[in-house]
Structure formats: C-alpha cells, structure tokens
Amino acid sequence: MNATCTEARRDRELNSLETALSRRSGLILVVGESGVGKSHLLRQAAARHPVPWFFTQCLPAGATPLAALLEVLGVDPRTADRRAAVLKGLNGLNPIVLAIEDLQWADPETLRLVRFIAARMPAGVHVVVTCRPEVGELGLLTERLTEVRLAPLDAAEVQAVAARHLGGRVLPIALAEELTRHSGGLPFAVLEFLRAVRPGPTIETDVRRALVETQPPVALRAALGIRMREVPESCRHVVRAAAVLTTAAPEYLLGTVSGLTGPTLTAAIDHALTTGLLQEQRPGLYDHRHTLARRAVLTMLPPDELRRLHRQAARALTSITPPPHARIAEHARRGGLIGTWLTHAELAADHAVATGNLLTAAEQLTAMLDVKALPWSDRARLATKLGRAALADSESWDDAIVVLTEVLAESDIPGVTRGRLRLMLGLLLHDRAGDIRAGRRELSAAIHELDGDPGSIAWALTALAVPTYGSEALTQQRAWLRQARSFAYETVDPGPRLAVRTNEARFRLALGEPDQVAGAEAASARTWLGQRQSFGDTGSGRYQRAVAAAAQVRVAFAAADWATLEERLLRARALAAGLPLVVAELDLIDGRHRLARGDIAAGKAILESVIARTSLGPFQVHAAAVAACPDASWTSCLDVVRRKSLWAGCSDLVVTACTSLVANGRWEEAARLADEFIEAVADLNAPAAAAAATLVDAVVRPELPVFGQVSAQYGALGWKYYECVAREQLGRYLLSQGDAEVLRTTARAYDALGARGDGERCRSVLRAAGFAAPRKRGRRGYNNKLSPRELEVARLAAQGLTNREIAGRLKLSVSTIEDHITSTFRKLGVARRSALGPLL
C-alpha cells in the first residue's frame, strides 16, 4: 500500500539515501512496514537528486512491472538475452535511478532481473527498491548495497506532525501518545486520523473523537483484503479474532475466539507475524499494527460471523480473573447475549464508580436503561445508580435528570425503591441543575417513601438542612440536621454517611462555626468566612474543580489580583459549563468587577440576573449580589439573613445596609443593625465578618482608630480591594469634617487597582462637596478627540474584530479594550461598531 505523509520529517533517512545516490552506482534497499512513508521518501529524494528517475511498482496477484521497464530501456520483450539488453539500455541512459517499489510482491522473473542488475551495476546507475521488513531473503547481495530502514514515528514526532497539520496547535503529549498508539506511529495512519479533525476551540476533543470514529480508507481495506487471501485459513481466523478482541491478547485467548488449538494455533500466529498481519505488542501479547488495520479487518466480516466472534470473545473473557466486565459487556452486547450484557454492564458500572471513572459508569447505565423491556424494579435500580454517578461528577447530569424523571413516571407505587430514585433526582435538581424549588420538592417527597432506608433519609434531610438554601427558618433546618444524625448512625452505606458529614459541615460553616471536613464545597464555604484555605484536597472531579475555581476567583477579586482575573474567569467558566449554581457565583464576581471598572450598566444587569437566579440559594451569593447591585432592595434579603443566622457569610450585605441607613439619616436603625451584627459574629471563626463588624461600627459611630483597625483587619486577610472600600468610608467621614485628602488618596488607590469606576465615584463625591478632584496624573488628555490607542482600537473594531481578538493583537487585557471602545463611542457619539468606519 502506497501512503504518503508530507508532514513526516525523515531527515536522517533522507541523508542516508542521498549519500548512497552520490556514489558512482549502487543498490539501495529502503525497508519499512506498509504506511511508514517509503514512497514519500523516494519522491523527496527524487525532487532533490538532479538525474532522471524511473518509477515502477510490483503489484500483488502476479502483476509484473517488467513490460514498462523494458519499454523505457528500449528492449524488445522477444529478445533472447533480455538481461544483457537491459544492461545495455541502462548504460545508454545513465545517469539514471531505477526505483522499484514493493519488491515483496515481485514475480520470480522480476526478482531475477533485479538480482542480475545489482550484481553488474553499470556506472552512473542506481537501483532503489522498497520492501516490507517481514519478507524473506531477497538475494540482493552486492558490495554496493545500502540499506535504509524507516521506523515508525515516536510520540514527539507524531506531536510535530499533528501540529503542522492542525495549523500550529500542539497536542498535549498524553494525547500525542494516544494518537501514536492508535496509528502505530505510521505516518499514513496518523494523517488518516488527523484528516477527520477540523482545527477549532475543541481541538483535543475533536482529535479524541477522530480516534474513535475514523474509518479505514479504501486503499487499506483493499490491501489487507489481498494479503488476507494470500495466507492460510487458520491465519485468517487468528487475524479476525485479534480484530474482534480490540486489545493485545495472549495466544490462548486468540485460540479460544478463533476456535484453533495446539500446533495449528501456534503456526497460524507465527504466519500472521511473519506476514505483518499481526505484531507482538508486548511479550506474548499479539495485536494488529494499528487501529485502522483492525477496523479494516472488521469491515470484511459478514454480520453473522462478526456476531459469532463477539459471542466467542464474551465467553472467553469470562475465564479471566478478575473478569473484565466492561469488555465482556461490550462483546455480549455486540454478540446479542442480552442477559450477559446487562449483568456485566452493571458490574462494570459499579467498578467504574468505585475507581472514579464516573463518565464511563454513566454511559454504561444509560445504555442499559435504553432497554425498555426491563422490569421497572431493575430500571429503577439502574436509574438510581445513574443518579449517584451523575451526582458524584458525571459530565451528563442533565441527561441523567431526563432518564430519572422518565423512570420515576413509569410507576406511582410508593416504596423504598421509588424513594431512592426520587432522592437522586432531587439531589441532581437541587445541587446540579440549580432548580432549588423542584429539588426540595422531590427531596421532601422522597423522605416519606424511604421508610426502611435510614441512610437515604439522612441524606435527604441534610440536603434540606443546609441553611444557605431554601426559604425555611433555621430552627426547621436545625431540626432536620438532628434527625439526619440519628438516622445516619443506622446505616453502613459510605455514600450517605459521607453526604451527611459533608452537609453537616456546610451547615456549620454557613453559620461561621468551625469544621475542617475536606471537599470543595467546604473549602468554598471557608473562603466566604475569610479563612485562609488551601484547595489541594478539594477533589479531582470536574464539579469539585469548578467549585474550587469559583472560590479562588472570588478570593482573587477581594485581593484585587485583577491582572489575570479575566483569564481566571474564563478558565473557571469552562469548568463550570452546565453547572448553574457555580456559574452564578462567577457571574457575581464578573458583575462586581465590571461595576468597579465603571461599566455600570453591564455590571448591574449581570448582578440583577444573579439575584433573580439565586432567590432560594446559594444565599451567600444572593446576598453578595444584592449588596453590590446599585438600587437593589436589601430589606427582604436582610430578613432572610436574620431568620437563618447567616451573618458570617453575608457581611457585605450588612455593610451595604448600614451605609445606606446612615446616608438616609436613619442613624438609630443603622446602630441597632450594627450592634446585632457585631454580637452575632463576635465569637465566630469568620475573619471577614469580624472586619465587616469593625467597619459597620466605624460607619455608625465614626472614630479614626476604629477605621484604622478595619484597614488592618482587611490587610491581614490580604483583601486589598476591601481595604480601599474601608478607606473610602473613612474618606467620606473625614470629608464631612472638611478633610478631602483621604478620599483623594483613595480615588488614586482605586485607579491603581484598576477600579476606575470606584475612583470616579470618589471624585464625584469630592466635587459635590466643592473640592477639587483631579484625575490620575501622568496621562495626556485628548478631550473629545481619540487618543492614538483609541484610534488604533477603533479601526480594528471597525474591521469586525471582537474585543478579545483586539486584545490579543495589541497585547492588552480585554477590560482595557472595553474601556477604549466605551470611550470611543462616547467621543464619537455612536452606539454601534458598524458606525465607526465612516468616522475614522
């Protein structure tokens, strides 16, 4: 099979070939397996070697290339001494390179002629032949023989080939290694996989999809078909068995599937190895050279034969200890052994869950649930397992909700089985889909059906008891937690016990009480309290990583670590895709960041959306959005905080409320609220709340030492943005005493952080009080004319580039580009990018 790979670099081999061609004459043997790039190497050399080349190819089934060769050399096929005439013809054409490809298929007459020429090579003549390494002795013995061997590409070389094919996108080395395994390192196979990939934002996903879906090309199927017809029937049986097994298999397993035993089996494997149809991947383990070859063999099998071989494979694999349940299930399904498939697929799903491979478990369970004929009790059991897998970290929790809802609707007979199913559905709706109302409804209903399963009851109760969710009073949620504790003692199931322990920690942390349980949600709760937190033990699943990433973004915002905040938000959003509650937390930070930078309309719109989406939780996100959103009413939100004692994690809301009350002259109400808050958080391990308590005390009873204490407390937390917020409160107080300098300094500090909107707010207050409020110095003013940078950005925007594309081209942050665009629109009096072109 001829295969080329223009991206595969063969510098060393090409140099060896060119060195041999630089001699007076000689025979060059290029050896390599099919698809390794022999033909391409010859054509590379021909393009760089300034003498005529004549290419001919030996074909299978007895086809001979002699006629074309004799015609080029001017030799009459009827000449009695054709060999002498060939030598004479070569002498007449020198210098010339005679290239004969695929010599392993040469007929005896062609092979004799090549040997004759090699032994009597005229000056100026080179003969280059290609062949596969598995062929026997060709008898090409000459002192002027040069052998060039082409080895498969290694992972680094495959990575380089892929980068050139994919427009410079470099695959991770692990994915390059996977591509190497599937292709065998053969350039032709590498390209077949890459041709199915279209470079885009999901390049790694697309490459992995190509590895699964790419079908063998017609030329490969044809070549393998020819080779399969040339080997004994026993060899074909072994090759087919290896294709069905899909992974490297020992001799006995190939024998069981193929139906061969003893010397016949050994001889068949040896023949397959000799002809290159199989390869010994590791000692004693045999497989096809690459995935496409395996798939090509499978396409040649009639459907009934393929089903039979899959049944044989399923039965053979059951003899292995421990049984490979996933492989047995797949072969049983393809072989039509439905009962065997269902049994082993469920065992495979259980194993996948136990080893953390939750996506595989969900796929197995979903496939089984497609069998509508299963008894409802079996479907409910499988659906419950699917729910637990999806809840643990499956990527497809939304699909699981659809399946669980469907199975739940198939029976209305109350019972423990239905209660467990409803529990999983409620947890998925509540904790993953963010449909708090529907989730709590299902959880409440599940409790009434779970009589006899104390672990599941405890799980449902503690999910309802977390005070940052739901509209219930804290007294009710505390009662649920007490009940859950008593039920948890009655179960040995580790799943419910862990869930109860985690939810109990979330309960305690929401109230500012200490608890050192591990996990992303507990770690996130501790950051709301202002506790320093390591995220190393938060879990490796996508949900856990998304929760941890959102908490880290929130801490970065508080610390005014804004240089990379947008990049952090982007990465966190990618992790949080499909997780509405985590997305809401990220939107909270996005909205607050936009407000701080002065994009009031966009920031307010985002925060209003967060407020609407989190009315039933997570309440600390809801309260923070209400606190930050301009013109938002905080009264009802404060009522919930008071009813649930959520003071520790909702301190921003209290600061906003006290500030608002003071601004409206309601000093007594502000003082009462401040005192209530101070007393509530006094004994809690909540440094953020403690700093906020000092701040509201300073706001309602202004004293310089108290303001200084606030700055020190936020400084100890590393929350630079909040330090500025506290200094702004101090500046406003001193401004009322006639001292404007602190507020001016604060405005400059805001500007330095990138909070230009906050800085402008301070300057507005200064101007309203009759004080000069100069902008940050050092930048030339352009009045209503565009600055050079604004003009540059505007021209790119007029060309249709997005803000992110402009930022990448100019090496600026997206927020800076947004500022330039906003300023340009204001100065030019336009509202759309399409209007920029005529004005520039």
Side-chain angles (χ1 to χ4, degrees), residues 340-415:
T340 304
W341 164 48
L342 293 172
T343 298
H344 286 279
E346 186 170 359
L347 290 169
D350 292 344
H351 178 72
V353 169
T355 55
N357 196 350
L358 299 164
L359 186 58
T360 297
E363 289 172 349
Q364 290 276 16
L365 292 162
T366 301
M368 286 187 281
L369 285 161
D370 284 339
V371 181
K372 307 298 183 183
L374 282 177
W376 184 83
S377 59
D378 290 335
R379 285 173 58 75
R381 184 186 71 256
L382 295 173
T384 300
K385 289 186 175 184
L386 173 62
R388 289 185 74 158
L391 189 67
D393 202 48
S394 170
E395 300 278 335
S396 54
W397 59 263
D398 47 347
D399 294 334
I401 287 176
V402 173
V403 173
L404 266 65
T405 302
E406 178 183 307
V407 176
L408 187 65
E410 292 171 4
S411 173
D412 57 1
I413 302 174

Side-chain angles (χ1 to χ4, degrees), residues 307-344:
R307 282 167 57 83
R308 186 189 71 80
L309 287 172
H310 277 299
R311 289 195 292 272
Q312 288 284 90
R315 296 181 182 116
L317 290 170
T318 56
S319 64
I320 298 176
T321 303
H325 296 298
R327 293 179 63 195
I328 295 170
E330 182 64 13
H331 287 300
R333 184 180 68 83
R334 292 179 178 272
L337 304 174
I338 302 302
T340 304
W341 164 48
L342 293 172
T343 298
H344 286 279

Side-chain angles (χ1 to χ4, degrees), residues 788-809:
R789 179 66 86 184
E790 288 171 342
L791 183 60
E792 186 178 22
V793 170
R795 284 172 175 164
L796 293 173
Q799 294 172 20
L801 274 68
T802 66
N803 288 353
R804 188 160 299 283
E805 290 169 337
I806 298 171
R809 181 171 297 190

Side-chain angles (χ1 to χ4, degrees), residues 6-18:
T6 57
E7 287 89 345
R9 296 180 60 84
R10 296 291 193 179
D11 294 340
R12 183 179 60 185
E13 294 84 353
L14 185 59
N15 289 337
S16 298
L17 182 55
E18 290 181 331

Side-chain angles (χ1 to χ4, degrees), residues 278-589:
L278 291 184
Q279 177 176 303
E280 190 172 21
Q281 300 281 19
R282 298 187 296 280
L285 295 176
Y286 309 98
D287 196 5
H288 286 268
R289 183 66 184 85
H290 51 80
T291 298
L292 294 180
R294 181 188 304 118
R295 292 174 186 169
V297 171
L298 292 175
T299 62
M300 301 176 199
L301 290 171
D304 59 336
E305 175 67 7
L306 186 59
R307 282 167 57 83
R308 186 189 71 80
L309 287 172
H310 277 299
R311 289 195 292 272
Q312 288 284 90
R315 296 181 182 116
L317 290 170
T318 56
S319 64
I320 298 176
T321 303
H325 296 298
R327 293 179 63 195
I328 295 170
E330 182 64 13
H331 287 300
R333 184 180 68 83
R334 292 179 178 272
L337 304 174
I338 302 302
T340 304
W341 164 48
L342 293 172
T343 298
H344 286 279
E346 186 170 359
L347 290 169
D350 292 344
H351 178 72
V353 169
T355 55
N357 196 350
L358 299 164
L359 186 58
T360 297
E363 289 172 349
Q364 290 276 16
L365 292 162
T366 301
M368 286 187 281
L369 285 161
D370 284 339
V371 181
K372 307 298 183 183
L374 282 177
W376 184 83
S377 59
D378 290 335
R379 285 173 58 75
R381 184 186 71 256
L382 295 173
T384 300
K385 289 186 175 184
L386 173 62
R388 289 185 74 158
L391 189 67
D393 202 48
S394 170
E395 300 278 335
S396 54
W397 59 263
D398 47 347
D399 294 334
I401 287 176
V402 173
V403 173
L404 266 65
T405 302
E406 178 183 307
V407 176
L408 187 65
E410 292 171 4
S411 173
D412 57 1
I413 302 174
V416 173
T417 299
R418 195 166 188 269
R420 290 170 180 158
L421 181 61
R422 194 187 287 276
L423 168 64
M424 289 301 117
L425 177 59
L427 291 170
L428 286 172
L429 288 169
H430 193 281
D431 293 346
R432 296 295 179 269
D435 190 347
I436 309 301
R437 194 180 307 280
R440 298 179 83 80
R441 184 171 59 246
E442 294 294 342
L443 291 171
S444 297
I447 292 171
H448 298 293
E449 295 186 348
L450 284 169
D451 187 26
D453 185 352
S456 294
I457 294 175
W459 194 342
L461 284 169
T462 55
L464 292 170
V466 177
T468 51
Y469 292 91
S471 57
E472 302 85 359
L474 181 65
T475 52
Q476 174 64 72
Q477 292 181 304
R478 196 183 292 278
W480 283 334
L481 183 62
R482 283 197 299 268
Q483 288 179 272
R485 287 186 188 129
S486 63
F487 280 113
Y489 290 127
E490 301 177 35
T491 183
V492 294
D493 187 340
R497 289 179 70 90
L498 176 60
V500 168
R501 179 69 188 91
T502 300
N503 287 335
E504 181 179 6
R506 293 169 68 192
F507 181 97
R508 292 169 59 82
L509 290 167
L511 304 182
E513 299 170 3
D515 198 306
Q516 292 305 312
V517 73
E521 290 171 316
S524 176
R526 283 190 278 272
T527 62
W528 282 103
L529 302 177
Q531 297 177 7
R532 294 192 180 275
Q533 177 63 50
S534 168
F535 292 91
D537 60 348
T538 53
S540 58
R542 188 173 74 90
Y543 173 73
Q544 286 77 17
R545 286 184 287 122
V547 170
Q552 289 171 302
V553 168
R554 187 159 31 80
V555 171
F557 173 80
D561 184 9
W562 293 357
T564 60
L565 188 65
E566 291 178 1
E567 287 75 11
R568 287 174 182 259
L569 274 167
L570 281 174
R571 290 195 297 269
R573 285 191 187 283
L575 276 175
L579 297 169
L581 298 182
V582 184
V583 170
E585 185 170 347
L586 294 172
D587 285 345
L588 164 68
I589 301 306

Side-chain angles (χ1 to χ4, degrees), residues 20 45 70 93 121 191 200 209 251 347 384 393 410 420 440 482 494 522 559 609 611 630 663 676 705 742 779 834:
L70 296 177
L93 292 176
M121 194 80 67
L191 280 189
R209 184 181 297 112
E251 183 172 323
L347 290 169
T384 300
D393 202 48
E410 292 171 4
R420 290 170 180 158
R440 298 179 83 80
R482 283 197 299 268
S609 173
I611 292 168
E676 183 181 9
V742 170
R779 179 177 296 179
S834 58

